Amino acid sequence: MIRFVLAAVMISTPAFAQSQADLYAKAREIHERVLTIDTHVDIPFDFATPAYDMMKPGPRGQQVHIPTMIEGGLDAPFLIVYMGQGERTVAGYAKAAADAFTKFSAIHRAADELYKDKIELAYTAADVRRIYGAGKKPIIIGMENGYAVGKDLRLLDIYHGLGARYLGLLHNGHNDLGDSAQPNANEPAAEHNGLSPLGKQVVEKLNELGIMADISHASMKTALDILAVSKAPVIASHSAVKGVYDHPRNVSDEVLDAIKRSGGVVQIVAFDPYLRATPPEKTKAVQALQKTMGMRGNGDIDKLQPGQLQAYEAEMANIENQWPKADVTNLVDHMDYAIKRIGIDHVGISSDFNGGGGIRGWGNAAETLNVTLELVRRGYTEDQIAKLWGGNLLRVMEQVEANAKRPRKRR
Ligand SMILES: [Zn+2]
């Protein structure tokens, strides 16, 4: 009680207000100088159509647009070619590849045609720096779910040609490449006991092509197997840490240590359910709402009709009011933990915007400065913040590129 009163007195003093203003000004300056990379921004199938115009906020509460990126100082997002896990059949693989091509072409339409004066596709770390230096926003492509490879590794050559620079091998539910951190309800805890033989070939091929292997959504055993196979640094593109909150999607200390040994990076994600325990009542309320809307999860939001969508979002807002999301301090708690464990050179930042991500204080691209503000508040220096916001990721990208050029025997 006494502490509470003291805090209230402190907040009201002019000195305290001045120190807050100074902190904000310092954060603003640093934020403007550093290149900020967000390694996970989802896009729907109708991205770069009138339904998702990057120049103006759309009806679906999309969280990333060019004006909001400029406003919030979000410089270089990885846009994600994501395919949901479906049937492991010839027809299923064909559909997954077709879905991948739809998203690749949407990103190319955005970067090569619609908004080419404002954004540009980056194929290398050097491209990212060059485009940023020229005053445009670099766009980089990541893929989520190795299901899109089917059983045909030659597809990876095509995806690489289209700009894919990381591949998350797994998503929810096991696939042919390995075990997921979150098996489907009808699946055993482990199907392959980690990475499958095909998954091993995929990692080797990613190394050859210069695509970063991403362990997010993989089981911890699969992740360790990927880390053991890869000859290049490995990333977790959007994960938090079990050391702060023990969620199946978060990475263990053992995996953090292996990421460090690989030279890679863990990109801590602003995804509420991974940052801290969700009250069970909230989970129930969300599940009940999604069930009445015929949705199987967050990913089905794109399938809602406009009228349904309004009702869904109004009800979600009620739920969020009742049980508020995690905030930026929770995100940076996970970062602090990872930095203490594996060092400042192996940690980064991701939002998972448009895919369920977004927290209080960093709810969309326009609010990106708040992350830097919290880092400054905790005493991180500009050099450290530059590493966290993208320096580390670019170093990893460069190492993965260099490893790909290394001469190797043809298999
Ligand atoms: Zn994901």
Side-chain angles (χ1 to χ4, degrees):
M1 189 52 166
I2 288 169
R3 219 190 315 162
F4 174 77
V5 172
L6 278 177
V9 170
M10 248 165 57
I11 286 165
S12 64
T13 65
F16 183 78
Q18 185 54 46
S19 72
Q20 292 305 297
D22 290 349
L23 214 58
Y24 183 84
K26 185 177 173 193
R28 182 139 218 127
E29 280 174 26
I30 292 175
H31 194 69
E32 268 165 28
R33 280 194 294 260
V34 303
L35 165 58
T36 56
I37 297 179
D38 172 351
T39 45
H40 209 83
V41 172
D42 268 298
I43 56 160
F45 286 105
D46 55 11
F47 179 70
T49 71
Y52 192 161
D53 179 338
M54 277 291 271
M55 289 310 291
K56 53 183 183 212
R60 271 178 300 177
Q62 294 130 348
Q63 293 159 295
V64 179
H65 300 86
I66 293 167
T68 53
M69 283 166 63
I70 293 168
E71 184 189 339
L74 179 59
D75 298 317
F78 273 80
L79 297 183
I80 303 308
V81 173
Y82 157 76
M83 294 69 42
Q85 184 60 43
E87 297 270 314
R88 286 191 250 162
T89 57
V90 171
Y93 300 140
K95 164 102 170 43
D99 285 350
F101 290 130
T102 301
K103 290 196 173 176
F104 274 112
S105 35
I107 297 169
H108 279 270
R109 187 164 61 243
D112 305 343
E113 296 169 34
L114 294 175
Y115 320 112
K116 66 178 176 193
D117 54 330
K118 298 185 176 64
I119 62 176
E120 184 178 333
L121 203 56
Y123 292 86
T124 62
D127 279 352
V128 174
R129 292 202 176 89
R130 172 184 57 76
I131 296 162
Y132 175 68
K136 286 205 263 184
K137 301 280 188 195
I139 300 292
I140 321 156
I141 302 180
M143 293 185 76
E144 183 171 30
N145 200 355
Y147 177 50
V149 177
K151 292 189 169 173
D152 186 354
L153 265 56
R154 290 171 304 180
L155 280 168
L156 283 171
D157 295 283
I158 297 171
Y159 297 148
H160 178 261
L162 290 169
R165 289 301 176 266
Y166 77 67
L167 173 70
L169 278 80
L170 273 298
H171 195 256
N172 296 336
H174 305 316
N175 65 21
D176 293 302
L177 310 185
D179 296 335
S180 169
Q182 295 179 296
N184 289 326
N186 57 349
E187 293 177 337
E191 177 186 324
H192 309 277
N193 189 30
L195 192 66
S196 72
L198 181 68
K200 181 170 185 279
Q201 288 178 34
V202 165
V203 174
E204 289 166 351
K205 179 94 182 174
L206 295 177
N207 283 173
E208 276 175 35
L209 289 169
I211 298 176
M212 296 180 280
D214 170 21
I215 60 138
S216 287
H217 287 288
S219 75
M220 289 304 97
K221 176 67 169 70
T222 307
L224 289 170
D225 288 349
I226 292 169
L227 281 148
V229 169
S230 179
K231 299 271 193 290
V234 169
I235 67 167
S237 70
H238 61 304
S239 291
V241 295
K242 287 195 200 292
V244 176
Y245 174 49
D246 189 7
H247 186 284
R249 264 288 275 110
N250 289 347
V251 294
S252 65
D253 287 351
E254 192 184 5
V255 169
L256 281 177
D257 294 347
I259 287 175
K260 176 186 183 157
R261 277 198 303 276
S262 85
V265 62
V266 57
Q267 302 283 114
I268 303 295
V269 67
F271 191 87
D272 173 56
Y274 305 160
L275 294 177
R276 50 166 210 190
T278 304
E281 303 80 18
K282 182 177 186 180
T283 308
K284 263 188 225 147
V286 171
Q287 282 169 346
L289 170 64
Q290 293 185 337
K291 200 171 167 204
T292 61
M293 296 278 170
M295 296 164 66
R296 285 171 311 167
N298 291 334
D300 282 352
I301 191 164
D302 294 333
K303 294 179 187 157
L304 295 179
Q305 301 304 312
Q308 267 187 312
L309 184 75
Q310 266 183 350
Y312 177 75
E313 287 191 334
E315 192 44 47
M316 272 306 275
N318 277 338
I319 293 173
E320 296 293 352
N321 261 336
Q322 208 173 337
W323 299 284
K325 281 183 176 172
D327 63 24
V328 173
T329 65
N330 300 109
L331 174 77
V332 180
D333 286 347
H334 282 256
M335 293 179 66
D336 277 346
Y337 182 94
I339 292 163
K340 280 204 184 82
R341 178 93 196 173
I342 60 174
I344 194 82
D345 294 325
H346 302 284
V347 181
I349 304 166
S350 61
S351 65
D352 211 349
F353 284 150
N354 299 336
I359 52 178
R360 279 183 295 144
W362 196 26
N364 58 58
E367 297 184 330
T368 304
L369 169 63
N370 287 334
V371 179
T372 303
L373 182 59
E374 183 61 21
L375 292 169
V376 170
R377 191 172 276 142
R378 295 195 191 193
Y380 288 99
T381 65
E382 177 164 348
D383 275 0
Q384 292 175 319
I385 291 169
K387 285 180 177 187
L388 297 169
W389 258 131
N392 291 336
L393 193 280
L394 286 183
R395 180 203 73 231
V396 171
M397 236 177 127
E398 273 161 359
Q399 286 172 358
V400 170
E401 288 164 14
N403 179 72
K405 294 200 187 94
R406 188 172 61 87
R408 45 168 66 76
K409 274 189 261 164
R410 294 245 42 100
R411 276 178 296 120

